[in-house]
């Protein structure tokens, strides 16, 4: 598995042997995160028992892009802090979205700051096994992928484990092309230069990230734009609510958001919020921020987003919203969620 993944990212290219990898001349740092005596008793597959330690090791040894073709359910603060550590030290973490044909959250792919990668087939359709959902950043081919294999051979394999190293190899190319970029800028350069595959996946619109990665656009487009919400707080502050911190029936909820413009300056950036649930009605969901510089942070305090909840709303209702970003030809989206 690891040999296959490594070959996808950066097998030697232009030598007329085997395969041509996406990460042309990028160096591989293999990090073993399993232990032979910790295995699934049924499948025999090894557990990733030292995954987060492996990320830290790679960061401390100056890795710039870290691929994680592994994961599972369950959030941990340690996991998020490990991702934060990597970003702060100059490394982007790229993760497989999972092979459960599910929209359930999957980690480490769903941690903040990660480039989360779903899988597509040869026709740009979602691979039948691939996870999808609000946390996906991009898609990459993950069906019938030919790569290096043990011992000293080549083989085909399927999985988001194959899609993730394709995106990671591209992230390495972007890092080489734009050495001044932060890990978050590399992530956004890869993400916003994807090809839109929504028309080929009508049942998964806005659930496959920005689309399928495009290496040429990612390394050649020097005018990419990307604005993102980096902190979101849902509040029942007065006068709309009773300020007890719980989103309750009959209240008007305020959404306080901090944004950052990661790439090229925006000239007329506009942001709107759309309700994607049946329990809320947006009252104010528009912000016209205008000009925003590269890496500039701003918020919606001048036009706070608000929505109302019906008095008949039951408890524990998922409240999903879609943020829309636009600036000339730039168009983007981002999911935000709360529980009512």
């Amino acid at each position: 598995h690891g040999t296959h993944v490594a070959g996808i990212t950066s097998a030697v290219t232009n030598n007329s042997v085997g395969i041509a990898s996406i990460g042309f001349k990028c160096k591989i740092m293999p990090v073993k995160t399993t232990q032979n005596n910790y295995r699934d008793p049924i499948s025999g597959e090894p557990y990733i028992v030292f995954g987060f330690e492996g990320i830290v090791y790679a960061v401390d040894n100056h890795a710039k892009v870290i691929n994680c073709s592994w994961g599972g359910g369950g959030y941990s603060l340690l996991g998020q802090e490990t991702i934060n550590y990597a970003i702060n030290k100059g490394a982007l973490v790229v993760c497989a979205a999972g092979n459960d044909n599910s929209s359930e959250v999957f980690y480490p792919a769903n941690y903040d700051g990660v480039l989360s990668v779903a899988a597509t087939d040869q026709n740009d359709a979602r691979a039948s096994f691939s996870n999808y959902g609000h946390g996906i950043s991009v898609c990459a081919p993950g069906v019938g992928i030919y790569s290096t294999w043990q011992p000293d051979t080549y083989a085909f394999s399927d999985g988001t484990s194959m899609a993730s190293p394709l995106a990671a190899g591209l992230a390495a190319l972007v890092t080489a092309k734009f050495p001044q970029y932060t890990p978050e800028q590399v992530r956004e350069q890869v993400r916003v230069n994807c090809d839109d595959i929504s028309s080929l996946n009508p049942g998964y619109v806005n659930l496959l990230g920005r689309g399928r990665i495009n290496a040429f656009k990612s390394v050649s487009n020097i005018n990419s734009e990307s604005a993102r919400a980096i902190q979101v707080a849902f509040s029942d502050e007065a006068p709309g609510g009773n300020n007890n911190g719980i989103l309750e029936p009959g209240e008007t909820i305020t959404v306080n958001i901090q944004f950052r413009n990661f790439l090229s300056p925006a000239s007329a950036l506009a942001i709107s919020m759309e309700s994607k649930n049946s329990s809320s009605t947006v009252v104010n969901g528009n912000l016209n921020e205008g000009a925003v510089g590269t890496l500039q942070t701003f918020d919606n305090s001048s036009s706070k987003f608000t929505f109302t909840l019906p008095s008949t709303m039951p408890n524990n209702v998922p409240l999903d919203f879609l943020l829309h970003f636009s600036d000339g030809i730039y168009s983007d989206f981002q999911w935000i969620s709360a529980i009512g």
Side-chain angles (χ1 to χ4, degrees):
H1 183 271
T3 302
H4 201 269
V5 166
I8 293 167
T9 295
S10 197
V12 175
T13 297
N14 283 354
N15 63 345
S16 300
V17 176
I19 64 168
S21 68
I22 190 171
F24 183 68
K25 291 188 177 180
C26 293
K27 294 181 179 179
I28 297 171
M29 179 194 298
V31 180
K32 182 175 174 61
T33 58
T34 61
Q35 187 167 309
N36 288 339
N37 60 329
Y38 287 101
R39 294 178 176 270
D40 184 286
I42 298 175
S43 69
E45 294 292 324
Y47 292 124
I48 309 296
V49 290
F50 301 110
F52 297 129
E53 291 89 342
I55 292 173
V56 172
Y57 175 90
V59 170
D60 290 345
N61 284 275
H62 313 297
K64 294 297 184 183
V65 179
I66 300 169
N67 180 75
C68 299
S69 287
W70 52 269
Y75 171 91
S76 77
L77 183 58
L78 171 65
Q80 184 61 67
E81 290 182 341
T82 301
I83 302 302
N84 296 346
Y85 178 79
I87 292 172
N88 291 335
K89 291 288 186 176
L92 173 65
V93 181
V94 183
C95 297
N99 303 325
D100 304 312
N101 184 27
S102 170
S103 61
E104 295 297 316
V105 290
F106 187 87
Y107 296 99
N110 273 78
Y111 287 123
D112 293 339
V114 164
L115 183 71
S116 173
V117 189
T120 49
D121 65 14
Q122 295 86 341
N123 299 310
D124 277 342
R126 182 187 72 91
S128 60
F129 54 79
S130 179
N131 287 357
Y132 54 93
H134 298 176
I136 302 299
S137 305
V138 301
C139 295
V143 177
I145 305 301
Y146 192 61
S147 185
T148 47
W149 197 254
Q150 295 279 13
D152 191 26
T153 185
Y154 300 86
F156 290 95
S157 192
D158 304 332
T160 57
S161 282
M162 286 63 249
S164 185
L166 271 170
L170 176 52
L173 291 183
V174 170
T175 300
K177 180 66 183 291
F178 304 100
Q180 77 279 13
Y181 275 9
T182 68
E184 293 166 307
Q185 288 179 300
V186 172
R187 179 194 69 213
E188 292 307 300
Q189 181 73 9
V190 172
R191 191 185 64 81
V192 299
N193 283 294
C194 285
D195 288 349
D196 187 353
I197 57 173
S198 297
S199 63
L200 300 171
N201 296 275
Y204 301 93
V205 174
N206 297 328
L207 299 176
L208 294 174
R210 187 62 185 260
R212 192 251 307 126
I213 60 171
N214 184 312
F216 178 75
K217 290 198 296 186
S218 294
V219 298
S220 62
N221 186 354
I222 61 173
N223 297 308
S224 304
E225 287 188 43
S226 177
R228 309 303 284 160
I230 57 173
Q231 290 185 8
V232 180
F234 292 84
S235 171
D236 64 336
E237 62 193 49
N242 59 14
N243 206 29
N244 68 352
I246 303 172
L247 311 189
E248 297 172 309
E251 290 188 317
T252 297
I253 306 303
T254 302
V255 190
N256 299 293
I257 307 179
Q258 187 177 73
F259 301 92
R260 181 168 296 150
N261 181 38
F262 284 101
L263 296 174
S264 295
S267 58
L269 182 63
I271 304 170
S272 64
M273 184 179 76
E274 175 191 6
S275 174
K276 300 297 286 186
N277 62 85
S278 59
S279 298
S280 67
T281 301
V282 174
V283 178
N284 178 51
N286 293 288
L287 173 67
N288 293 309
E289 186 64 19
V292 185
T294 300
L295 292 178
Q296 181 178 338
T297 299
F298 60 99
D299 60 38
N300 68 336
S301 57
S302 64
S303 182
K304 292 186 176 183
F305 297 166
T306 57
F307 62 87
T308 58
L309 297 174
S311 58
T312 56
M313 184 186 73
N315 294 328
N316 299 317
V317 173
L319 301 172
D320 297 326
F321 299 87
L322 206 54
L323 298 177
H324 297 278
F325 303 83
S326 63
D327 178 27
I329 63 172
Y330 167 64
S331 178
D332 208 347
F333 69 91
Q334 184 176 3
W335 289 96
I336 60 173
S337 302
I339 299 294

